[in-house]
Amino acid sequence: DAGITQSPRHKVTETGTPVTLRCHQTENHRYMYWYRQDPGHGLRLIHYSYGVKDTDKGEVSDGYSVSRSKTEDFLLTLESATSSQTSVYFCATSAKVDTQYFGPGTRLTVL
Amino acid sequence: DQQVKQNSPSLSVQEGRISILNCDYTNSMFDYFLWYKKYPAEGPTFLISISSIKDKNEDGRFTVFLNKSAKHLSLHIVPSQPGDSAVYFCAASAGGSQGNLIFGKGTKLSVKP
């Protein structure tokens, strides 16, 4: 498996506060992705990156922004958290356009 | 509209028997299909994949079958073991889309001892 870590692993925050989740990989994979998992929805793509400073929107990007200043780091920011953003967030990476490898996840609760 | 559908939310199988998990898709541009396994409080783990140029791929106890005309794929686990109890996600991608995967909602497999 790709060496992927996510921080924090758990976070509780209040509505309206900014939140940043970090994904770090040691595999030098070009592509990185952020997903959210919710009951009844499976995994949905939020944003992805196909290289340093190259990012694009996924299926559920509203309310989220991302940044990738280094190959190994991909940040997901909730500018003003809402209760609908309570979810489990997964980062994934891939070396090319095929198999993605996932991190352990971050459980975010917005009160 | 769901492009990848796993119509069975759950499946229960006896240890030693075959588990068959099904997945249907609607987008004829999909050319690569994957199965992931997920335990609670962990990230999804890649299990097996298949390209659209094949109709079968086997890896140990796991075999994936692809029927392009029916837009259907299935994952067979033989023999099933209690440690196989997890949620299984089917995913698909179309070439040239940055590798973006479209996931089904998952099927929870329970293997009873």
Side-chain angles (χ1 to χ4, degrees), chain B residues 90-111:
Chain B
C90 169
S93 73
S97 60
Q98 312 290 352
N100 291 350
L101 297 180
I102 306 297
F103 283 84
K105 293 184 178 181
T107 297
K108 183 175 183 179
L109 174 66
S110 299
V111 180

Side-chain angles (χ1 to χ4, degrees), chain B residues 17-87:
Chain B
R17 298 290 186 96
I18 184 172
S19 295
I20 300 176
L21 295 97
N22 294 305
C23 179
D24 297 296
Y25 62 95
T26 58
N27 189 341
S28 58
M29 297 300 291
F30 287 148
D31 59 2
Y32 189 65
F33 304 88
L34 309 90
W35 285 94
Y36 284 85
K37 172 178 170 181
K38 186 184 180 305
Y39 292 120
E42 294 184 11
T45 302
F46 170 69
L47 198 55
I48 192 169
S49 63
I50 187 167
S51 164
S52 60
I53 61 173
K54 296 185 176 181
D55 54 19
K56 176 182 173 181
N57 188 27
E58 191 172 354
D59 184 1
R61 296 186 297 114
F62 303 91
T63 303
V64 56
F65 294 92
L66 176 62
N67 182 333
K68 289 186 289 293
S69 61
K71 293 191 177 69
H72 176 83
L73 63 156
S74 60
L75 174 68
H76 292 211
I77 306 173
V78 184
S80 301
Q81 300 174 352
D84 296 329
S85 297
V87 176

Side-chain angles (χ1 to χ4, degrees), chain A residues 36 62-64 78-87 89 108 110:
Chain A
R36 60 178 289 173
D62 287 349
Y64 301 95
L78 292 66
E79 301 290 345
S80 178
T82 67
S83 58
S84 65
Q85 293 175 313
T86 292
S87 186
Y89 291 87
L108 176 67
V110 183

Side-chain angles (χ1 to χ4, degrees), chain A residues 9 31 33 35 37 40-43 45 48 50 90 97-104, chain B residues 32 34 36 38 41-46 49 89 96-101 103-105:
Chain A
R9 293 293 314 279
Y31 300 94
Y33 310 83
Y35 291 88
Q37 186 195 9
H41 287 279
L43 289 152
L45 182 66
Y48 62 97
Y50 43 96
F90 290 102
V97 179
D98 56 14
T99 307
Q100 294 181 18
Y101 298 93
F102 284 80
Chain B
Y32 189 65
L34 309 90
Y36 284 85
K38 186 184 180 305
E42 294 184 11
T45 302
F46 170 69
S49 63
F89 290 100
S97 60
Q98 312 290 352
N100 291 350
L101 297 180
F103 283 84
K105 293 184 178 181

